[in-house]
Amino acid sequence: MKRLIALVLAVAGSMSALAQAPQPPEVAARSYILMDLSSNKVLAEREADAPNDPASLTKLMTAYLAFNALKEKKLTLEQKVPVSVRAWSERKGDPSLMFIDTTMTPTVDELLHGVIIQSGNDASVAIAEAVGGTVENFVAMMNRQAQAWGLKNTSFTNPTGMTQPGHRSSARDIAVIAMHIVKDHPEYYPLYSIKEYKYNNIKQDNRNLLLRRDPTVDGMKTGYTDAAGYCLVASAIRDFPNGKRRLVSVVMGTASREARATESQKLLNWGFAAWDAIKLFDAGKPVATVPVWKGVAKEAKLGAAGPVFVTMPKGEGDKLQTKVERTDPLVAPLPKGQRVGTIKVSTTGGVPVAEVPLVVMEPVEQAGIVGRAWDALRLWIK
């Protein structure tokens, strides 16, 4: 019979209760969210699940699906893309353009620069057609991806962000899309830090003002429509004693370009100053070594699949305890990565902080018939 084994690995510091979370600054935005990507913790939010017009923040999903197509080798960066009348027609409705026309065949790489740096609606339609065949197919792909991530307040009707009935998202959902770009496609993320891009002899600046004001900001995307107001996803990475730390802020519905930059900077600075990221375990480092039955090895190394960070209010990192819960007995074969329990992190006052799957770090093959029979007898006696 399997039973649950719990082991408290570490208790540090005072036994007093955790101090209250730091109070965020006043933010002049319709809705916002601030996330620490090292721990996936939300540090501050207001109306983060309220559906809003996302404007050109939509293009984060447009680019993500293009990155997927590149990763799956359905497209190449050098591939030339014909410009359809539909893509060219975007210039009739909005000044946010790459300025491509039907006589041109820009490459996928050029179009991605147009989508990300110039926020071109024409480039977004051209990319959508290259990836999905038609804009309608591509929009269906956008919505399937949103559903796969569990984005409950997101529904896309176009790849550009133009205001249409039913086209909506929320600050939290936009933050999730941004997080996936950073984590799933790090090779393409540097595109978001480029400050200007020239195509068709027209040079345009990246509208993210923080790229020129804060050297730690390296992305991501602006947006504006009358319905949305001025929006900005900003991402910054800064060095700390225990490693690099990345925060992502989303502000929606501010009053101006200057306001969206100012409010985003305010959130990022507060997040880095008021919170600490605590590394509990390094990647590849076992947190427990436990007995294994019916295996060629008698013990298994267990740990997390990657490094484990938690985010705590400044100076509160010494008020943590870590408990490993696992099933017993562990019976071979045990493939690498198999989940066998949970690493639970809480304050010394018992407030939950994080839960991380406990997995097998090195595979344990099944023993021969004699070894298995002997361990079966020992288990029966036990």
Side-chain angles (χ1 to χ4, degrees):
M1 178 182 294
K2 290 187 178 294
R3 55 196 177 100
L4 188 67
I5 299 291
L7 171 66
V8 177
L9 293 179
V11 177
S14 165
M15 292 299 289
S16 63
L18 183 68
Q20 287 188 344
Q23 288 300 305
E26 289 294 324
V27 178
R30 186 181 304 145
S31 62
Y32 73 84
I33 194 168
L34 177 68
M35 288 186 64
D36 189 328
L37 261 61
S38 61
S39 61
N40 294 334
K41 181 178 177 64
V42 174
L43 305 184
E45 62 179 285
R46 187 179 71 227
E47 300 293 334
D49 294 311
N52 286 296
D53 186 325
S56 285
L57 303 188
T58 301
K59 296 182 175 91
L60 291 170
M61 182 66 91
T62 302
Y64 182 86
L65 294 180
F67 299 153
N68 278 357
L70 288 165
K71 187 174 184 178
E72 295 163 3
K73 303 191 183 304
K74 295 177 180 177
L75 293 179
T76 67
L77 288 173
E78 301 77 22
Q79 181 177 332
K80 292 189 174 183
V81 177
V83 178
S84 69
V85 172
R86 185 167 183 174
W88 174 82
S89 296
E90 289 293 323
R91 68 179 55 204
K92 297 178 181 178
D94 191 86
S96 186
L97 299 166
M98 184 183 178
F99 295 101
I100 52 178
D101 64 44
T102 56
T103 68
M104 300 173 178
T105 53
T107 64
V108 169
D109 185 54
E110 289 169 333
L111 288 173
L112 283 171
H113 281 72
V115 171
I116 293 167
I117 304 158
Q118 299 177 328
S119 200
N121 290 345
D122 47 0
S124 299
V125 170
I127 276 287
E129 292 174 331
V131 175
T134 67
V135 170
E136 289 73 21
N137 287 344
F138 186 80
V139 170
M141 293 170 64
M142 296 172 76
N143 286 313
R144 284 196 297 272
Q145 186 63 75
Q147 291 166 8
W149 287 336
L151 307 187
K152 300 184 184 304
N153 298 297
T154 295
S155 175
F156 296 115
T157 65
N158 63 69
T160 63
M162 292 297 290
T163 300
Q164 289 181 343
H167 189 87
R168 59 184 175 79
S169 192
S170 67
R172 192 185 313 278
D173 287 359
I174 291 293
V176 171
I177 300 170
M179 176 186 69
H180 277 285
I181 290 174
V182 173
K183 293 189 174 183
D184 298 350
H185 296 295
E187 67 273 36
Y188 299 118
Y189 176 72
L191 287 169
Y192 290 93
S193 68
I194 299 174
K195 297 181 179 68
E196 61 184 30
Y197 183 62
K198 183 177 181 179
Y199 186 81
N200 196 18
N201 291 319
I202 302 170
K203 184 171 73 172
Q204 299 186 62
D205 289 339
N206 192 317
R207 297 173 179 86
N208 183 357
L209 299 179
L210 293 186
L211 290 175
R212 289 176 169 81
R213 297 181 181 178
D214 183 343
T216 70
V217 172
D218 57 4
M220 293 190 61
K221 191 71 191 73
T222 61
Y224 170 78
T225 63
D226 288 342
Y230 289 86
C231 307
L232 175 61
V233 179
S235 179
I237 187 166
R238 299 184 186 178
D239 289 315
F240 287 86
N242 62 349
K244 294 183 182 296
R245 183 176 167 209
R246 180 178 294 282
L247 301 186
V248 168
S249 66
V250 180
V251 297
M252 304 181 77
T254 69
S256 66
R257 288 188 180 188
E258 181 63 35
R260 70 188 176 191
T262 300
E263 300 308 302
S264 298
Q265 185 78 79
K266 188 189 299 182
L267 279 169
L268 292 170
N269 287 344
W270 172 82
F272 284 119
W275 297 82
D276 288 328
I278 312 298
K279 182 188 282 188
L280 298 180
F281 305 110
D282 287 311
K285 184 176 180 180
V287 301
T289 302
V290 301
V292 175
W293 301 85
K294 301 184 182 181
V296 294
K298 296 303 180 185
E299 293 182 325
K301 295 180 179 179
L302 309 180
V308 176
F309 286 86
V310 295
T311 304
M312 297 287 287
K314 198 79 173 180
E316 296 289 326
D318 63 345
K319 297 174 182 177
L320 291 173
Q321 66 181 13
T322 304
K323 181 169 69 173
V324 169
E325 292 184 353
R326 64 175 179 85
T327 55
D328 185 70
L330 291 180
V331 180
L334 295 172
K336 181 178 179 179
Q338 177 177 318
R339 181 169 182 170
V340 294
T342 304
I343 303 171
K344 294 186 175 182
V345 185
S346 63
T347 68
T348 50
V351 179
V353 175
E355 288 193 10
V356 181
L358 180 72
V359 301
V360 177
M361 306 200 71
E362 296 177 2
V364 179
E365 302 295 332
Q366 196 173 54
I369 189 171
V370 174
R372 297 200 306 273
W374 175 243
D375 276 359
L377 177 61
R378 293 173 62 208
L379 279 170
W380 180 75
I381 295 172
K382 181 180 178 182

